[in-house]
Amino acid sequence: MTMPHNQNYSEFTYEFPPISNCKTFGRENQTIVSDMDGTLLRGRSSFPYFALVAFDVGGVLRLLILLLASPIAGILYYYISESAGVRVMIFATFAGVKISDIESAAHAVLPKFYADDLHPEAWGLFSACGKRCVLTATPTVMVEPFLKEVLGVDLVMGTEIHSWKGRATGLVNKPGVLVGSNKADALLKAFKDASPPELALGDRKTDYPFMKLCKEGYIVPPATAEVQAVTADKLPKRVVFHDGRLVNKLTPFMALVTILWIPVGFLLACLRIAAGMFLPMSITYYAFWALGMRVIIKGSPPPAAKKSTGQTGVLFVSSHRTLLDPVFLSAALGRPIPAVTYSLSRLSEIMSPIKTIRLTRDRTTDANIIKKLLQEEDLVICPEGTTSREPILFRFSALFAELTDDLVPVAMSTKMSMFHATTVRGWKSMDTFYFAMNPNPTYEVTFLNKLPYESTCRNGKLSHDVANNIQRMIASSLSFECVNFTRKDKYRMLAGYDGSCRKIV
């Protein structure tokens, strides 16, 4: 819910001074208590975060239910009761949903979006204090992973949702939604055996009850367009891994646009996928452009291998953005390039316009498979082993460097405006569809220079050094960062298993 445009900031500041009056120096041993929406976060509306959870746990139908309920929630929130408005949002989003699914979305999806909306002044003061607490009307289950794991918050007090047999009922536990006096009561209970907090941050009159219990209180003014969010380098922990299909937060208007686009986008995706499957690869590049999928080619690729002359295949070493990397590399070359992959859904394998070869994760077996393929033709491999959404490259597996000296690094980058084409927790077989459902998805394929002889294993270089060198080359071309994270780190963080087997914890 957002603040009405006719509500003046002066209405909120007559009892507490603005945060600009507060000094951050010397707060290391002090305790701060802050509201969340409109205070720690620039945005005053919680709708975008409920929408992210709704889409993640229930798809487009749950998002539609939330959107239809939002006008009722808004009227209740602003004209009758904040608590009633929040209750409607909670019921529309959570009723009937497994608690484990809500927790999974809160852990894997929301932190990225919360981190991108931190208020700079509020975070500057909040991070300067030794003990940090948050009071919020938003359900604890939604905000706790971000606040504790990313921001290092010591105590989170939010609305507790009611559950029965592992599913949310859509109701809330006593004392109800944490607004107004309920926030004050929660703060008194939390600090009943300790001295009151030194600092309080809020952004509206209903925050006054808990702010009055603290020694100092400051109001965070409504953020304007000039207020830029805190950058990732100023956070205690960077959000590297995140999941979920939506690229952007959804306002009610954008939620409506997304809901209306999905059936249109699915039909368009089917047409785009069919073009890739059935048209010759020599004209696929032009077909993609005609259907609104941009393929930007940079650099000069090598000519195709010729078995008749004894020339072995070139190994294209690609960064990994989506499972479609080899397809768009083939489109850029105008010829199908087989790809080796560690995991691919059966549906994606059927729809693939190029040959895909499964690897076993057994080093000796995989080496023999790749060597045999290279004797026949060119090949593409993504040694990161998993996709990344952030501007980073995961650690490269070094196996490929031991198998051939004909190595051509390929820098892949993508632009998607509506849906992510990767998932850890969702249906991987839908990755291709979600990519093609974007209105104007873009792939940029940059062919770098073939690795010189003196930089290969044949000249005495260690395979790990060769792999690291290629990683740095690709990262430099994309202005990405090289990190030591691996597939196992990503899957353990987002899904609780290492990515090579079904979930076991």
Side-chain angles (χ1 to χ4, degrees):
M1 285 72 71
T2 56
M3 186 174 70
H5 295 295
N6 61 353
Q7 205 155 6
N8 195 295
Y9 168 54
S10 61
E11 296 178 28
F12 293 87
T13 58
Y14 64 86
E15 195 163 340
F16 291 96
I19 190 174
S20 57
N21 289 8
C22 183
K23 306 298 182 184
T24 59
F25 180 75
R27 304 285 188 178
E28 295 83 1
N29 298 318
Q30 295 185 356
T31 299
I32 187 170
V33 181
S34 174
D35 178 42
M36 193 162 180
D37 294 314
T39 306
L40 266 184
L41 302 179
R42 296 177 304 166
R44 294 174 60 85
S45 174
S46 58
F47 176 87
Y49 305 103
F50 279 103
L52 288 165
V53 175
F55 190 81
D56 193 79
V57 302
V60 67
L61 180 60
R62 177 68 66 164
L63 180 60
L64 177 61
I65 292 171
L66 176 63
L67 181 63
L68 293 175
S70 61
I72 301 172
I75 292 170
L76 291 172
Y77 187 89
Y78 292 118
Y79 300 108
I80 299 176
S81 162
E82 282 191 29
S83 176
V86 176
R87 284 175 185 268
V88 170
M89 298 282 281
I90 290 173
F91 186 85
T93 305
F94 296 143
V97 177
K98 290 181 179 179
I99 295 295
S100 59
D101 290 342
I102 301 170
E103 292 172 340
S104 179
H107 180 78
V109 179
L110 294 183
K112 169 64 177 175
F113 294 95
Y114 279 135
D116 286 344
D117 199 32
L118 273 183
H119 194 293
E121 277 191 292
W123 172 243
L125 179 57
F126 193 77
S127 62
C129 295
K131 185 175 182 180
R132 307 163 190 171
C133 309
V134 170
L135 272 169
T136 177
T138 304
T140 306
V141 69
M142 284 177 59
V143 300
E144 193 167 53
F146 166 69
L147 292 174
K148 288 193 171 183
E149 296 171 15
V150 179
L151 298 189
V153 172
D154 300 287
L155 178 63
V156 178
M157 294 167 278
T159 301
E160 300 297 336
I161 63 174
H162 182 265
S163 63
W164 185 70
K165 292 187 176 180
R167 289 184 180 270
T169 62
L171 307 177
V172 299
N173 290 328
K174 292 183 178 180
V177 178
L178 244 58
V179 295
S181 60
N182 282 348
K183 281 188 177 180
D185 293 341
L187 185 61
L188 285 171
K189 183 178 179 180
F191 286 85
K192 63 181 179 179
D193 298 323
S195 58
E198 284 79 9
L199 283 166
L201 287 180
D203 68 296
R204 63 197 78 190
K205 282 186 176 181
T206 51
D207 291 331
Y208 286 1
F210 88 83
M211 294 174 70
K212 291 176 180 178
L213 300 175
C214 302
K215 297 176 181 178
E216 298 178 62
Y218 296 91
I219 286 289
V220 178
T224 63
E226 289 74 30
V227 177
Q228 298 297 314
V230 175
T231 54
D233 60 299
K234 291 184 172 63
L235 298 178
K237 181 180 178 182
R238 178 179 174 183
V239 181
V240 174
F241 306 113
H242 52 96
D243 206 17
R245 291 295 192 182
L246 295 174
V247 172
N248 303 303
K249 288 192 303 182
L250 298 180
T251 62
F253 174 73
M254 287 308 301
L256 177 61
V257 170
T258 301
I259 291 168
L260 295 176
W261 173 257
I262 283 177
V264 177
F266 183 78
L267 293 176
L268 179 59
C270 291
L271 184 60
R272 289 167 167 175
I273 292 169
M277 289 176 62
F278 301 116
L279 293 178
M281 192 58 69
S282 58
I283 64 172
T284 298
Y285 169 85
Y286 304 100
F288 283 167
W289 270 91
L291 292 170
M293 291 200 297
R294 296 181 176 87
V295 186
I296 301 171
I297 306 171
K298 297 181 179 180
S300 302
K306 295 181 180 179
K307 188 178 178 181
S308 59
T309 63
Q311 179 185 353
T312 57
V314 167
L315 184 59
F316 293 97
V317 184
S318 171
S319 54
H320 202 5
R321 306 310 287 178
T322 78
L323 62 81
L324 296 171
D325 297 329
V327 174
F328 280 90
L329 183 144
S330 297
L333 290 170
R335 52 190 170 88
I337 305 295
V340 290
T341 177
Y342 286 106
S343 60
L344 193 66
S345 72
R346 182 60 180 162
L347 179 60
S348 297
E349 200 169 35
I350 292 172
M351 294 190 302
S352 177
I354 61 173
K355 183 168 66 174
T356 58
I357 302 94
R358 291 178 180 268
L359 297 180
T360 65
R361 299 194 193 279
D362 177 80
R363 190 175 180 84
T364 302
T365 303
D366 292 344
N368 290 333
I369 291 173
I370 295 172
K371 282 181 179 179
K372 184 177 180 180
L373 290 168
L374 285 172
Q375 290 174 357
E376 303 290 329
E377 55 193 336
D378 296 337
L379 194 65
V380 58
I381 189 170
C382 300
E384 287 177 274
T386 189
T387 56
S388 171
R389 295 179 176 182
E390 293 294 294
I392 61 172
L393 293 184
F394 292 133
R395 191 173 71 204
F396 277 23
S397 168
L399 175 62
F400 73 88
E402 303 171 8
L403 307 179
T404 180
D405 299 315
D406 295 318
L407 300 170
V408 176
V410 183
M412 291 280 190
S413 64
T414 58
K415 291 181 182 178
M416 288 164 279
S417 58
M418 191 171 284
F419 303 109
H420 284 296
T422 60
T423 185
V424 170
R425 301 150 43 256
W427 293 350
K428 292 181 181 295
S429 57
M430 291 298 293
D431 285 0
T432 301
F433 285 96
Y434 272 108
F435 178 85
M437 282 169 62
N438 283 285
N440 296 108
T442 300
Y443 243 100
E444 185 174 291
V445 185
T446 304
F447 295 96
L448 305 181
N449 293 330
K450 183 178 178 181
L451 201 68
Y453 168 76
E454 57 270 18
S455 298
T456 65
C457 289
R458 183 178 297 179
N459 194 44
K461 297 288 184 181
L462 296 176
S463 60
H464 287 89
D465 292 335
V466 175
N468 291 340
N469 182 33
I470 291 180
Q471 183 196 32
R472 286 191 293 268
M473 290 170 62
I474 295 175
S476 176
S477 171
L478 296 170
S479 297
F480 281 11
E481 177 186 355
C482 295
V483 298
N484 283 322
F485 293 123
T486 65
R487 181 195 75 255
K488 290 184 177 181
D489 295 320
K490 172 183 169 181
Y491 276 78
R492 283 171 179 159
M493 177 68 181
L494 296 178
Y497 66 109
D498 67 7
S500 59
C501 60
R502 294 186 63 84
K503 184 176 179 179
I504 58 175
V505 295

